[in-house]
Amino acid sequence: MKKILCSCIIFSACFTVFSQDLSKDFKHIEDKVIQWRRHFHKNPELSNREFKTAKTIAQHLKSLGIETKENVAKTGVVGILKGNTPGKVIALRADIDALPVIERNDLPFKSTVTSKYLGKDVGVMHACGHDTHTAILMGVAEILSNHKDLIKGTVKFIFQPAEEGAPEGEEGGAALMVKEGVLKNPDVDAIFGLHIASGFDVGTISYKAGGIMAASQGFKIKVKGKQSHGSRPWASIDPIMISAKIIDGLQTIISREADLTNEGAVITVGKIDSGVRNNIIPESAEMIGTIRTLDYGMQKQINDRMKEMVPAIAKAYRAEATIEIEKGYPITFNNIDLTQQVLPTLHNVAGKENVKLIKAITGAEDFSFFQKEVPGFYFFLGGKTVGNTNPYPHHTPDFIIDESSMLLGVKAMTQLTLDFLNN
């Protein structure tokens, strides 16, 4: 992994010059960013299916004279902007996919899009704010393309598909982008990314050096029992009941075996399929879920125990069960040196009192795949709506953000780029 060293004093000093040059640009870009965001919100697309989204992004980059590569990692778009003088290479990343969620917000640009997910008809919604990330990075691209004289080096704009995970049986996301060489030719020295946060105040930036988001693994459990009439349970081996016992057992790994004083950890079963009608005890059941860990030692311990426990519980009730655990996403890890290097920029952009040090969270991000290859910094942008004392979480039908939050995202990513490249 590359190591980055820089004088924070120089970082802070050059900010003032650039902010004066760009103040008019920031003032004029906000309305565009909001309109782009609303367009994407109204027209969301699921992972690896972001065809129209990618087309809109590519058209914008091309209109700015930015070298544009399409169909990267299936539906990704990459723009390359060279400054007037040579230097380092920085990558800026935005994720572009939506989720299989039916929106409940009463917005004029509310999503009414439907699609197929895991064989079912679903609504599609930007329930995690990726529409804001895309719009913000499009705004950054427009501003920087108008100021190549301020850029000493090269900027890569990475619009990444499938952050929420590729469809079953497909590759996708940051891992596929890395595999296809998105950080090469030219070789990236550092990468930056952000995430809107519905629970953090507008005008704030939140960060943590080191591990800021958890490793994420998906798992699938299959239980094989014996089918019978619902009136004769003694003739069955009930996979639904056994699934309940397995779920209960998995939670004891967290509550009784994981050392939570070290780091947090989560096991969640998010979906269970079994049966066809009320009076038939079915033959089989299938569960899928997620594991979140902030320590690789704890991850191994939890994985090992799950693999031991699932078949053992099933056997105790005369059934069979198998478990498959994905390799998943790594821990989102902010390079320590890079984090210290960029703090003066964030303080100048948002105000030192608005840059918040937070604890790690159990959400996950495949931005972590980029950070395994080059130093990276990932931060949260406050997006809580005014007066909202109980903001709706991400990945829910009522998820909503305050659009006034996005301008700070544009300013932060633009200034981080210029300060990094010019020092």
Side-chain angles (χ1 to χ4, degrees):
M1 179 175 286
K2 299 178 183 178
K3 187 174 182 180
I4 293 184
L5 297 174
C6 176
S7 168
C8 293
I9 296 175
I10 297 175
F11 243 64
S12 180
C14 68
F15 175 87
T16 305
V17 176
F18 291 145
S19 63
Q20 290 173 352
D21 290 339
L22 301 177
S23 58
K24 290 182 179 178
D25 298 80
F26 291 139
K27 182 178 180 181
H28 293 142
I29 202 68
E30 185 173 19
D31 286 344
K32 288 184 178 182
V33 170
I34 290 173
Q35 291 307 311
W36 289 327
R37 183 260 167 165
R38 291 182 178 183
H39 169 78
F40 293 128
H41 192 88
K42 190 174 182 178
N43 301 279
E45 296 174 294
L46 295 176
S47 301
N48 277 1
R49 305 292 184 268
E50 311 94 332
F51 304 112
K52 294 178 182 178
T53 301
K55 184 177 180 181
T56 299
I57 295 166
Q59 287 175 342
H60 177 64
L61 295 181
K62 290 175 182 177
S63 75
L64 301 175
I66 293 175
E67 179 187 341
T68 304
K69 298 180 181 179
E70 300 177 70
N71 305 313
V72 182
K74 299 188 184 294
T75 50
V77 180
V78 177
I80 299 177
L81 176 64
K82 295 181 179 179
N84 288 353
T85 55
K88 294 177 288 189
V89 180
I90 187 172
L92 307 177
R93 176 273 207 164
D95 36 13
I96 66 175
D97 56 330
L99 286 157
V101 175
I102 299 174
E103 183 162 14
R104 279 201 297 249
N105 293 312
D106 186 20
L107 299 170
F109 49 92
K110 171 183 177 179
S111 170
T112 58
V113 174
T114 59
S115 187
K116 289 277 189 183
Y117 183 77
L118 295 179
K120 294 185 177 181
D121 293 322
V122 295
V124 184
M125 176 191 174
H126 272 293
C128 201
H130 296 185
D131 50 344
T132 68
H133 307 166
T134 305
I136 286 169
L137 193 54
M138 288 172 66
V140 174
E142 181 162 328
I143 290 174
L144 290 176
S145 69
N146 292 329
H147 291 280
K148 291 194 288 185
D149 57 310
L150 298 180
I151 300 173
K152 183 181 178 182
T154 301
V155 185
K156 274 190 177 181
F157 302 96
I158 299 175
F159 293 88
Q160 180 212 306
E163 191 281 326
E164 300 292 355
E168 191 170 6
E170 297 184 24
E171 289 185 277
L176 184 56
M177 283 198 140
V178 170
K179 183 178 178 180
E180 292 186 0
V182 75
L183 299 177
K184 303 292 184 182
N185 191 31
D187 293 353
V188 170
D189 292 292
I191 187 166
F192 292 79
L194 61 74
H195 204 301
I196 198 81
S198 66
F200 293 169
D201 291 334
V202 171
T204 63
I205 288 172
S206 300
Y207 78 99
K208 179 183 177 296
I212 186 171
M213 297 184 78
S216 172
Q217 297 174 285
F219 65 87
K220 179 186 291 185
I221 296 172
K222 293 182 178 180
V223 180
K224 184 180 179 182
K226 180 181 178 182
Q227 189 161 320
S228 179
H229 196 288
S231 66
R232 302 182 74 248
W234 52 84
S236 75
I237 298 175
D238 187 349
I240 295 177
M241 179 276 294
I242 294 165
S243 296
K245 296 293 186 181
I246 289 173
I247 294 169
D248 187 49
L250 294 179
Q251 296 310 314
T252 66
I253 298 175
I254 301 300
S255 67
R256 290 295 179 269
E257 298 187 29
D259 182 358
L260 301 182
T261 63
N262 177 32
E263 288 286 2
V266 173
I267 300 174
T268 294
V269 174
K271 183 173 182 285
I272 178 167
D273 281 334
S274 188
V276 292
R277 59 175 292 157
N278 67 333
N279 63 349
I280 299 176
I281 294 174
E283 184 177 55
S284 62
E286 181 175 294
M287 294 171 276
I288 57 175
T290 186
I291 307 162
R292 303 299 173 98
T293 48
L294 287 154
D295 177 271
Y296 288 120
M298 291 177 69
Q299 182 187 67
K300 184 179 186 305
Q301 175 198 5
I302 290 168
N303 285 189
D304 289 346
R305 286 294 288 133
M306 290 178 72
K307 291 174 183 177
E308 291 171 359
M309 185 176 285
V310 167
I313 292 174
K315 184 177 180 181
Y317 294 96
R318 300 180 295 118
E320 297 178 4
T322 60
I323 179 170
E324 298 175 6
I325 301 176
E326 298 172 352
K327 184 177 179 181
Y329 296 179
I331 295 169
T332 305
F333 189 90
N334 283 336
N335 180 274
I336 305 298
D337 290 337
L338 183 60
T339 301
Q340 293 305 310
Q341 177 181 326
V342 303
L343 280 179
T345 296
L346 297 181
H347 291 161
N348 277 303
V349 170
K352 189 172 183 179
E353 70 281 4
N354 294 317
V355 179
K356 312 287 187 178
L357 176 64
I358 60 171
K359 294 182 179 180
I361 66 172
T362 50
E365 246 290 347
D366 77 345
F367 185 80
S368 53
F369 285 105
F370 298 125
Q371 292 174 310
K372 289 196 74 174
E373 304 298 320
V374 298
F377 179 72
Y378 192 81
F379 63 95
F380 292 102
L381 179 69
K384 184 166 67 174
T385 52
V386 176
N388 193 348
T389 58
N390 188 27
Y392 293 105
H394 294 236
H395 290 219
T396 65
D398 305 294
F399 171 80
I400 192 168
I401 60 98
D402 187 332
E403 292 178 322
S404 68
S405 63
M406 293 189 289
L407 183 58
L408 178 57
V410 175
K411 290 180 178 180
M413 292 292 269
T414 301
Q415 204 64 56
L416 284 169
T417 300
L418 294 173
D419 287 355
F420 178 83
L421 290 179
N422 286 280
N423 292 281

